[in-house]
């Protein structure tokens, strides 16, 4: 199967081009602009100096780090895991990409969200799976309505990808939702995966739920987490899968044919990150809450009302009236104002009519971005 260049690549190329002639405010990628906690950098610096840290680390990752993950699950979600129910990944994206290859046969059915973070579709394609795109719309509060999926699809399904808190839709799922998913997974004998990359980034006292909180989930479920967004460590490429031990073993086996583990200093840095987790997360959430307010308030001044997200580091904004083509909107906005946002269509057909803005610039820049967006809208006499 061939992979083609998508809107994300086109946008990145355009950002580069425009940056040569204009100051670009890039709100298109979810790559945190904030630094990691100084303690994390301190450990990383120390560990990099140790010549013994340069060998292969091998899968499934340092026991001490996996124990830190086990502790975190217990502390945050009251989920009790054994270390052999966890694996360290080269970023959660890597594990998500490889999971279907490890557990699905070509031609089997995988369900992925539309709109959705692109890795689920790519992962299914890598494994030669058939894909069923389940719709996430405002009418269903961007939640999979499993009871509306035709029975023949449910019977054929081997794996469902869920992503709550959701990127790009910014919504959370409830305990009842996950409970229903586990029930259906058992009834129709499929595996259910939740991508919990944004589990720490919830606002206004909202709290994420882990799929693994559901009694019996471990029989049918895996969950993916990451240090990228929680600890501003996107570049070190480190994430986790946790849940059903047989699935973990299959993923570990596949990975042992592909990679030899995450660089030891990175794993040590992640252990340190978990030690300071409470303070890091509470500061980070405050920062995103404040940025969210600043951007939403500033856009409102220019006549664009955006619903505040309860989670993630994004705004998922319906295009102002008069606009319907998210790609044209994003590319014109970029070339005229230097503000880069992601067109909703990049996440699937049902993302059309929306754009995603990442809160990855300081407040001053966000105000400036809103001002430029406002002048763009006024130029088209929309506001
Ligand atoms: C929903 C979701 N899952 C996974 C990832 C990838 O995370 P990682 O850096 O751990 O590979 C991202 C990154 O943006 C994401 O938005």
């Amino acid at each position: 199967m061939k992979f083609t260049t998508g809107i994300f690549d086109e946008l990145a190329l355009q950002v580069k081009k425009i940056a040569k002639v204009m100051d670009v405010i890039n709100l298109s990628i979810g790559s945190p602009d904030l630094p990691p906690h100084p303690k994390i950098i301190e450990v990383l610096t120390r560990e990099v100096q140790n010549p013994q840290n340069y060998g292969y680390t091998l899968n499934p990752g340092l026991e001490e780090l996996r124990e830190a993950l086990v502790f975190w699950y217990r502390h945050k979600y009251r989920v009790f895991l054994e270390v052999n129910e966890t694996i360290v990944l080269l970023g959660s994206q890597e594990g998500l990409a490889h999971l279907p290859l490890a557990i699905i046969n070509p031609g089997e059915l995988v369900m992925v969200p539309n709109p959705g973070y692109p890795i689920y579709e790519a992962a299914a394609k890598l494994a030669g799976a058939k894909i069923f795109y389940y719709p996430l719309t405002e009418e269903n509060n961007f939640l999979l309505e499993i009871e509306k999926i035709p029975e023949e699809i449910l019977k054929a399904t081997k794996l469902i990808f869920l992503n709550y808190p959701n990127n790009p839709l910014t919504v959370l799922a409830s305990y009842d939702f996950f409970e229903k998913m586990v029930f259906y997974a058992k009834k129709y004998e499929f595996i259910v995966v939740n991508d919990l990359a944004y589990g720490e980034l919830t606002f206004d006292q909202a709290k994420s739920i882990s799929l693994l909180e559901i009694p019996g989930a471990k029989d049918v479920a895996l969950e993916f987490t990451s240090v990228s967004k929680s600890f501003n460590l996107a570049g070190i490429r480190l994430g986790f899968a946790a849940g059903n031990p047989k699935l973990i073993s299959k993923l570990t086996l596949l990975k042992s044919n592909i990679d030899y583990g995450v660089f030891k200093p990175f794993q040590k840095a992640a252990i340190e990150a978990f030690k300071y987790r409470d303070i890091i997360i509470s500061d980070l959430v405050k920062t995103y809450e404040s940025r969210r307010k600043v951007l939403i308030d500033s856009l409102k001044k220019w006549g664009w009302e955006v619903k505040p997200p309860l989670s993630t580091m994004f705004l998922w904004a319906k295009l102002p009236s008069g606009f319907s083509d998210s790609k044209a909107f994003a590319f014109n906005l970029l070339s005229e104002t230097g503000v880069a946002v992601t067109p909703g269509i990049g996440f699937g057909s049902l993302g059309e009519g929306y754009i995603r803005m990442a809160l990855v610039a300081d407040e001053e820049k966000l105000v400036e971005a809103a001002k430029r967006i406002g002048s763009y809208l006024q130029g088209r006499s929309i506001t």
Side-chain angles (χ1 to χ4, degrees):
M1 125 102 240
K2 281 207 183 103
F3 291 89
T4 52
T5 51
I7 287 181
F8 298 104
D9 303 297
E10 267 181 69
L11 192 66
L13 269 180
Q14 193 65 6
V15 166
K16 251 188 176 169
K17 228 168 104 183
I18 300 292
K20 288 190 183 138
V21 292
M22 219 186 285
D23 159 48
V24 167
I25 303 178
N26 192 348
L27 310 182
S28 69
I29 329 174
S31 185
D33 60 309
L34 294 156
H37 192 279
K39 285 281 180 193
I40 301 175
I41 298 184
E42 196 182 304
V43 166
L44 195 49
T45 313
R46 189 184 70 219
E47 295 297 331
V48 165
Q49 305 286 335
N50 181 350
Q52 285 173 350
N53 280 347
Y54 284 79
Y56 296 126
T57 54
L58 301 180
N59 290 299
L62 295 187
E63 181 125 348
E64 194 188 345
L65 175 55
R66 293 155 71 212
E67 275 165 4
L69 179 77
V70 166
F71 179 83
W72 173 79
Y73 258 109
R74 196 166 66 224
H75 173 70
K76 183 167 172 78
Y77 295 111
R78 311 282 311 144
V79 166
F80 297 86
L81 292 166
E82 302 293 333
V83 170
N84 72 349
E85 293 169 332
T86 67
I87 179 175
V88 177
L89 306 165
L90 299 156
S92 63
Q93 172 124 329
E94 175 268 312
L96 288 160
H98 285 139
L99 180 69
L101 204 54
I103 63 173
I104 294 289
N105 294 312
E108 289 183 335
L109 193 67
V110 174
M111 281 178 50
V112 307
N114 175 16
Y117 184 66
I119 194 63
Y120 318 123
E121 180 192 44
K125 285 183 178 173
L126 270 173
K130 284 196 192 122
I131 303 177
F132 179 85
Y133 297 87
Y134 62 83
L136 297 179
T137 61
E138 255 178 275
E139 291 70 50
N140 59 29
N141 297 317
F142 301 121
L143 288 168
L144 164 59
E145 290 175 300
I146 190 85
E147 58 282 359
K148 291 199 180 156
I149 304 295
E151 178 128 38
E152 68 270 20
I153 299 289
L154 292 174
K155 280 186 178 157
T157 297
K158 296 289 172 211
L159 169 65
I160 292 190
F161 281 111
L162 303 174
N163 170 215
Y164 294 103
N166 186 284
N167 171 22
L169 305 169
T170 75
V171 294
L172 295 150
S174 66
Y175 184 92
D176 292 354
F177 172 86
F178 283 128
E179 198 172 39
K180 190 164 61 177
M181 290 308 307
V182 169
F183 173 80
Y184 270 79
K186 290 191 174 183
K187 181 168 175 195
Y188 289 97
E189 296 182 352
F190 56 70
I191 289 147
V192 55
V193 167
N194 187 41
D195 177 356
L196 186 62
Y198 296 95
E200 297 279 32
L201 301 185
T202 55
F203 313 129
D204 305 339
Q205 261 80 55
K207 200 179 164 302
S208 61
I209 305 283
S210 160
L211 170 61
L212 301 177
E213 286 180 46
I214 310 304
K218 263 196 247 169
D219 299 338
V220 289
L222 271 190
E223 192 158 66
F224 287 75
T225 49
S226 169
V227 299
S228 295
K229 320 289 166 145
S230 318
F231 301 120
N232 300 326
L233 289 172
I236 73 170
R237 313 307 304 126
L238 196 151
F240 306 95
N244 183 279
K246 282 195 192 130
L247 296 174
I248 293 288
S249 295
K250 285 186 183 173
L251 185 57
T252 309
L253 176 64
L254 175 76
K255 278 171 59 60
S256 69
N257 285 275
I258 297 173
D259 71 76
Y260 293 124
V262 176
F263 186 39
K264 200 167 185 180
F266 294 166
Q267 297 199 52
K268 293 277 187 184
I271 294 168
E272 192 71 3
F274 277 117
K275 279 190 203 153
Y276 290 91
R277 179 251 167 210
D278 288 344
I279 174 89
I280 292 173
I281 298 304
S282 96
D283 286 352
L284 193 61
V285 165
K286 275 186 214 139
T287 302
Y288 283 126
E289 272 178 345
S290 177
R291 286 180 174 187
R292 176 189 66 154
K293 181 169 170 19
V294 164
L295 185 55
I296 286 179
D297 288 353
S298 309
L299 287 170
K300 199 172 172 180
K301 281 192 198 133
W302 297 94
W304 192 357
E305 297 242 12
V306 179
K307 204 171 155 201
L310 276 185
S311 182
T312 75
M313 52 201 286
F314 307 107
L315 303 190
W316 181 243
K318 206 176 223 173
L319 289 177
S321 62
F323 295 93
S324 55
D325 181 335
S326 61
K327 189 177 172 192
F329 182 92
F331 278 78
N332 290 336
L333 179 72
L334 175 60
S335 47
E336 285 182 32
T337 71
V339 176
V341 300
T342 307
I345 187 85
F347 298 99
S349 59
L350 295 177
E352 187 53 295
Y354 294 84
I355 55 137
R356 191 194 72 175
M357 291 176 255
L359 300 168
V360 291
D362 62 33
E363 294 182 10
E364 203 182 319
K365 279 216 177 103
L366 291 175
V367 171
E368 169 64 18
K371 202 166 123 195
R372 293 192 205 174
I373 292 171
S375 66
Y376 173 79
L377 297 180
Q378 273 187 338
R380 280 162 175 71
S381 354
I382 296 298
T383 57

